[in-house]
Amino acid sequence: MTPKTVRRFLPILFLAFAWPAWAQKGPSSIPPGQLDPTRSIAHPQLFSSFHKPLPEEYIWTREDSAVGNRAHIDYRSPGLHHQTAPHYFRVAFNVAQVPAHATFYLAGPRSATVYVNGQLAERVSSDLLNPLGLHVFRTDVARMLKPGRNVIALEVVRGRGIAGFVNSALSMQQIFGEVLVAKLVPAPGGVNAPAILISGPNWKGTLHAAAGWEQPSFNDSSWPAVMPLSPIEGAIDLFQWNADAGLYDWPSYEGASPFLAHTYLPAAKVQDVMPGRSSFENLEALTAPESPAGTEFTVKLSSIAPGEEYAPGLTLDFGREVSGRIELISDMAKEAAVTIQYGESQGELNHGPYLGVNVLRIAAHQAGHGPKSAFRYVRIRFLSGGPELKFKAIRVEDIYYPVHYQGSFESSDPLLNRIWATGAYSAHLCMQDDIWDAPKRDRGRWMGDTDVSGRVIDTVFFDHFLLKDTLSRLIGEPPVTQHINGIPGYSSFWFTALRDYVRHTGDVAYLQSVRPQLLQLLQFMDKEFDAQNQFENRGKAWLFVDWAPNLNGDTEEARQATTIEYYRAYIAGAGLLRQLGDAADAEHFEARAAALKKSVQATVWMPADGDFGPRWQTNAMAVLSGVANPNQYSAIWTQVLSHVGEPTFRPNLITPYYGAYVLDAMAEMNHRADALKWIREYWGGMIDEGATSFWEAYDPSWPKNNPHSDLQADGTTGYFASLAHGWSAGPTYWLTEQVLGIRPVAEGFSKTIIRPDLLDLKWARGQEPTPHGLIKVDLRQDNGMQAAIDVPEGVHATVLFPVARGAHRVLVNGVVRTGTPAESGTRVAVALDSPGHYELRAQ
């Protein structure tokens, strides 16, 4: 296409060209170090620096509010057509002078009837097929206002709600759709101004209204005050689970925690251009960081109403997965309307956008935003506002948590370098309003996901605040009366994530602060067993190990694997209790762990088969937890784990999530070379299929024509699956731990093992942050391994250095050191107790 034709499309009608699903296949051309567009930002612009949280509050009828009324959090969402009784609200307010425009905004309910001074102002309902949990309704009521006292009365039905699972009554009430927010603004639609009226504690609400309730003269003195829940930007729990996605066109709504930052990204390219009967000018402005005056992107709408079929549209490709929202800045004198749809893949964009297709109205000379989500592609169709729609910019507002890439990894294998960087970026994308499973779906805190992504965050970013806040909110305040996320296995991972956090950060003060919950959760978990230490699932919880047949739901295999996860938790929990000086409770749960191991060895281990059943997940966790004895490793490898990486078939499906534990188990069994091969095939397979962040689910054998449509996760298949999932980032920490060899074994890296292993690489180098500074490792293969290691003050490192079998000596900075034989004489342990630079090689 020539520049001239790119600049202006003739107003002819043609069908939109749908790029084939495989068009993005192949590794991204973005260098690994530039994959994260925020990596080089030295001075992030925090939301707290330019945005003051909005004061309008979520409210609800006091009789039906979860907040303040229900001691036990109910995680069961009401059915779409359940609990649809009307709720009634009233508020009186004064107006000194009636403005020319008075826009009333309402969000939360699925339907609303609005009365102003007894007159019907609006009767509206949302499309329940739209996936957004709430919608913004707006109407101009200036003609109904009068100087002096005014009354607004509402009859509403709760919002459709969404699926969600949060340890917060406030958040669950929002997720269920049991919220209402309103404000009256003296300005045209889409333009914010100091409000005449906002929802808050002065409103009244009831489930039972007498005749005439909507009239200004009605005596509402018997109505109770509403339950004020929170300002709509007043709590981090209100930004979870896509629950606030529908507030995208609420005036001045940002919906981001004050510690988050933003930046702007132009599209990498424009495609699927369909002008219909209209025409486009200056398309190249959409891929430019800035557009000089007179070169704004312009849509010249046909004088014939375009209709849905012929509305001009185009797709913006941002070149990688991003987390944020689309922004359109108007350069015109009247309101414009467009539709917005997102896709992590072109398949999702065109055939099943997760958040649906949503109308966005952009006020004159204002900025409009689409919903917050994660995506690579945005499809925009231009509906009205002509004859000319001019935009100063159409770009992504990238919303991110500011971090520094302190950890690093490079090697002689470019694919591994990209895998490490992609895992780091995947984890960073999930660092938003706490650590989420994914920035598209679910946008929520999940403990299993955090167990993996938290290790990546420790390894690469060394962030304390977000990981600590996530762990705290997942378990909640004492007393502990429920499993983490309602899943017994996820209760187990809270302990291992906490242990890893303390080992990396040395934050013993935080450990001390959660000691009550730590002990209470162990005690709560221990109620699940019978006298023979068989897991009974007495609380009838949903069991989850992995998205594979019989490893989720209350099945025998899920119970067995959960018991093994419990053993790992008891060992981790007992170690943490001992660290806190609680020897008695530590000994109790060490004894409980021993009893569980004995039970699993007696009932799950199959001596004739040499395995803990046929599943990769169960055997990997048995090895990793210590339930399996070292003398069983050979049989487990031969019978089960040696088949990892072979073409799979049901039920041998595995997600990248449990793949991380399989990699750890393979390293524990000294099969690191096989693990590295699988990393290249499995995670490298995603890279080869165009991934710029790692996917929620994957199998190399799944169809390639439209890979996103065939992903299997969360009990379903298709575009619902996330293409940026933190639980899939395991190879990033694994390469640091198993190739560079850096692994803390006591709080704050006070004791550290460094076990370098180049495997089939010619060289590798990198670093990991500690509370004391960076540990740096540089490895070369030259007539044996050569290693350069930098150890900061406060770190006592033991290097397990490879030697010829039976050798005992290593050159350290040119001086012969005799080490302690390790790993059957193939390595020697050499202590590096002083800070400094060390160069090691076998003598």
Side-chain angles (χ1 to χ4, degrees), residues 555-569:
T555 68
E556 182 180 4
E557 285 184 301
R559 287 189 178 198
Q560 292 171 349
T562 297
T563 302
I564 296 171
E565 291 172 344
Y566 266 45
Y567 171 83
R568 185 169 177 246

Side-chain angles (χ1 to χ4, degrees), residues 661-728:
Y661 303 123
V662 170
L663 291 174
D664 289 341
M666 293 169 85
E668 177 67 24
M669 300 167 73
N670 203 24
H671 287 282
R672 294 173 182 83
D674 299 279
L676 194 67
K677 178 176 180 289
W678 190 46
I679 288 174
R680 290 179 173 123
E681 293 172 352
Y682 189 88
W683 284 267
M686 285 185 260
I687 296 289
D688 286 342
E689 294 188 37
T692 60
S693 51
F694 284 132
W695 305 344
E696 179 180 13
Y698 180 68
D699 192 286
S701 68
W702 288 345
K704 307 303 179 189
N705 183 51
N706 186 359
H708 196 177
S709 69
D710 291 300
L711 298 189
Q712 302 175 30
D714 217 347
T716 189
T717 299
Y719 304 122
F720 179 82
S722 158
L723 297 191
H725 232 70
W727 78 2
S728 303

Side-chain angles (χ1 to χ4, degrees), residues 72-73 75 164-168 172 241 435 444-451 467-498 510 514 516-526 528 535 537 541-545 562 565-566 569 657:
H72 190 81
I73 297 174
Y75 294 110
F165 209 99
V166 186
N167 191 13
S168 161
M172 293 308 297
W241 282 87
I435 298 171
R445 310 177 190 101
W446 285 107
M447 190 60 251
D449 306 64
T450 303
D451 191 50
L467 184 53
K468 190 161 56 174
D469 194 65
T470 302
L471 291 173
S472 295
R473 292 179 186 276
L474 278 165
I475 197 166
E477 295 296 324
V480 176
T481 60
Q482 299 179 99
H483 283 296
I484 306 291
N485 295 127
I487 302 173
Y490 276 18
S491 292
S492 301
F493 288 123
W494 189 83
F495 296 97
T496 53
L498 178 61
Y510 175 67
V514 295
Q517 294 98 313
L518 189 159
L519 183 57
Q520 289 169 14
L521 182 57
L522 283 170
Q523 293 167 341
F524 179 78
M525 292 167 61
D526 213 34
E528 299 283 10
F535 186 87
N537 194 18
W542 183 65
L543 305 186
F544 176 78
V545 179
T562 297
E565 291 172 344
Y566 266 45
Y657 159 55

Side-chain angles (χ1 to χ4, degrees), residues 93 99-107 112-116 119-125 135-145 152-154 181-191 196-197 249-251 335 361:
F93 59 98
H101 296 278
T103 306
F104 181 68
Y105 295 90
L106 173 69
T113 303
V114 181
Y115 295 92
V116 178
Q119 300 180 64
L120 178 63
E122 180 70 282
R123 180 176 284 118
V124 64
S125 61
H135 296 267
V136 175
F137 305 132
R138 79 184 199 197
T139 186
D140 194 323
V141 299
R143 69 191 185 281
M144 299 177 180
L145 297 177
I152 288 181
L154 309 174
V181 60
K183 69 178 174 181
L184 180 61
V185 177
V191 179
I196 299 172
L197 167 71
D249 55 354
W250 188 269
E335 182 180 84
R361 294 167 291 188

Side-chain angles (χ1 to χ4, degrees), residues 90 418 637:
R90 284 174 57 92
R418 180 165 290 277
W637 176 256

